[in-house]
Amino acid sequence: MRYISTRGQAPALNFEEVVLTGLASDGGLYVPETVPQLSAETLAGMAGLSYAEIAFQVMQPFVGGEIDDETFRGLVHDAYATFSHDAVVPLNQLDANHFLLELFHGPTLAFKDVALQLLGRILDHFLAKRGERAVIMGATSGDTGSAAIEGCRHCDHLDIFILHPHNRVSEVQRRQMTTVLADNVFNIAIEGNFDDAQAMVKASFADQAFLNGTRLVAVNSINWARIMAQIVYYVASAVALGAPHREVSFCVPSANFGNLFAGYMASQMGLPVKQFIIATNANDILHRTLADNDFSKRELAATLAPSMDIVVSSNFERLLFDAYERDGTAVRELLERFQREPAALAEAPLARLREKFSSFSVDDDTILEVIREAHQRTKELLDPHTATGYRAVERVRADRATPMITLATAHPAKFAEAVVKAGFTGAPLPPHMDDLLAREERYSVLPAELAAVQRFVADNRR
Ligand SMILES: *Cc1c(COP(=O)(O)O)cnc(C)c1O
């Protein structure tokens, strides 16, 4: 399998290279050159298989034989054995034809575990084969950092350094990172804000001399393997509800669009999907683009659904590449204009997107209202991210005859602030985590200075 850049100028790479590379050298994102197809027969044959086996079958063509089948099966099996629910991602029926796909049964209680449990294992496999070690650096305001740490804690060839703003992440989120005491895990609390942490990580990727030749790897959602792993739950949930004989629709609480792009890939592979709904919080660039063709940056709003607080939706570029019929030059020009000034899509690409995608934006007051209403109606306690999806389904669902699957991206216990604001006493952590607040923590506090951070990373990597 070959991967090409959305901006048309970087060299094509194979799977191993694309997983180790992250961003393309022309500033674009890698996508598969051709999309493997799932025939109706193959989909029908998935009925009743385990999640891990469906995962193997869906992802195997993307790996393109670069990991032998038996080894890859083992990596996939181990990744999903870490989930606390036997179904890995169970479907929970809310009413006659609306389902929640619970993606929060992994080690850190959010959907990012689905991809990062596998990505850590794939990286470790390739590094072992090459006899190399690598360093992961990332900045987090919450979900990504803890999921990346959990995904890498057992990796012999990786050291992971995650920066978070000191005293500015919730206690649950901090402890999910800092109570992992593995030798290759380093939590750095930066005396600054999230942007300071992010800027230092970016600068470190731009100039890696401080690592003396050791590879620096990105595990954010531009990494193709994360998209690949997320395709699986779209396929598995649709098959559980009758695909390929019956169409389904999906609603996805979205920010960087990595989650929903995976759903789009599933449909490109042949999964019959009627409608995709993009739900956003007040950071609504995706909704403004779809609804008003307003493709422009706005100031960041801090919302009750903080894992969806973004200004730019990085993976949307992958969808634009297809909407522009894979014209890398057109995508590059559009993205360059967008960086400078408010931009708009051309008519034909926008029309193509509107055929499959609807969108809706949900503000904080509405999130609280939805958490209360949904609980009254269904007895389910939604987390604030999932709440945006619930409201979007009520507002823009195309029809009631097609099963609607809303992706539940986090467990409510992870975002207790919103749950309490909505009038509940709180949401208990699941049993395997109920001692989180008593576990030993380990982290280093560093000033917001690039040199200090880079020295720490260089000195502590193994
Ligand atoms: C990351 C995250 C999202 C947004 O996912 P994208 O892939 O960035 O669109 C939504 N909800 C939760 C809980 C998340 O952690």
Side-chain angles (χ1 to χ4, degrees), residues 171-422:
E171 184 171 18
V172 168
Q173 294 209 327
R174 185 189 73 240
R175 284 179 162 275
Q176 283 189 318
M177 301 191 280
T178 57
T179 59
V180 178
L181 303 178
D183 287 345
N184 66 334
V185 171
F186 301 91
N187 280 288
I188 303 175
I190 293 292
E191 291 173 318
N193 59 28
F194 172 69
D195 292 335
D196 297 329
Q198 175 97 318
M200 289 189 283
V201 170
K202 273 199 177 151
S204 300
F205 273 90
D207 182 358
Q208 305 181 10
F210 73 103
L211 282 176
N212 276 322
T214 303
R215 184 189 287 275
L216 196 56
V217 174
V219 295
N220 53 13
S221 67
I222 59 159
N223 192 307
W224 169 256
R226 284 188 57 179
I227 306 284
M228 175 184 82
Q230 291 164 187
I231 297 170
V232 176
Y233 49 71
Y234 289 91
V235 176
S237 59
V239 166
L241 293 183
H245 314 294
R246 186 157 75 141
E247 280 189 313
V248 297
S249 295
F250 290 98
C251 175
V252 186
S254 294
N256 274 316
F257 205 71
N259 196 354
L260 193 26
F261 186 77
Y264 167 78
M265 282 302 301
S267 73
Q268 293 301 102
M269 293 171 79
L271 191 73
V273 178
K274 175 97 173 246
Q275 182 190 22
F276 284 114
I277 300 177
I278 303 169
T280 75
N281 64 19
N283 297 287
D284 60 353
I285 180 167
L286 290 165
H287 175 58
R288 282 185 286 115
T289 304
L290 259 282
D292 308 325
N293 199 8
D294 170 12
F295 187 42
S296 68
K297 297 183 205 172
R298 292 248 178 103
E299 213 169 304
L300 186 76
T303 75
L304 289 171
S307 297
M308 287 159 56
D309 288 349
I310 48 107
V311 174
V312 175
S313 180
S314 52
N315 275 287
F316 191 56
E317 178 167 346
R318 285 184 157 122
L319 185 66
L320 289 173
F321 185 56
D322 274 9
Y324 277 82
E325 299 187 303
R326 302 203 142 200
D327 178 349
T329 307
V331 171
R332 188 172 68 249
E333 283 168 7
L334 175 65
L335 269 295
E336 282 171 3
R337 182 156 357 108
F338 167 77
Q339 285 305 336
R340 287 193 312 267
E341 63 196 22
L345 312 195
E347 222 168 277
L350 183 62
R352 273 182 213 113
L353 295 184
R354 285 175 172 165
E355 273 170 36
K356 271 266 180 221
F357 293 90
S358 313
S359 62
F360 196 74
S361 157
V362 179
D363 65 19
D364 272 3
D365 287 343
T366 309
I367 285 176
L368 297 178
E369 194 180 291
V370 171
I371 293 175
R372 285 189 291 265
E373 279 177 17
H375 185 263
Q376 222 165 32
R377 257 184 243 150
T378 69
K379 297 280 169 281
E380 289 299 323
L381 192 53
L382 303 182
D383 99 284
H385 305 82
T386 307
T388 67
Y390 189 88
R391 178 51 51 97
V393 167
E394 290 178 323
R395 292 292 190 268
V396 298
R397 181 179 193 174
D399 71 277
R400 294 191 161 269
T402 311
M404 174 61 70
I405 302 173
T406 296
L407 274 52
T409 52
H411 189 290
K414 208 167 170 174
F415 296 96
E417 186 200 343
V419 172
V420 170
K421 273 199 175 144

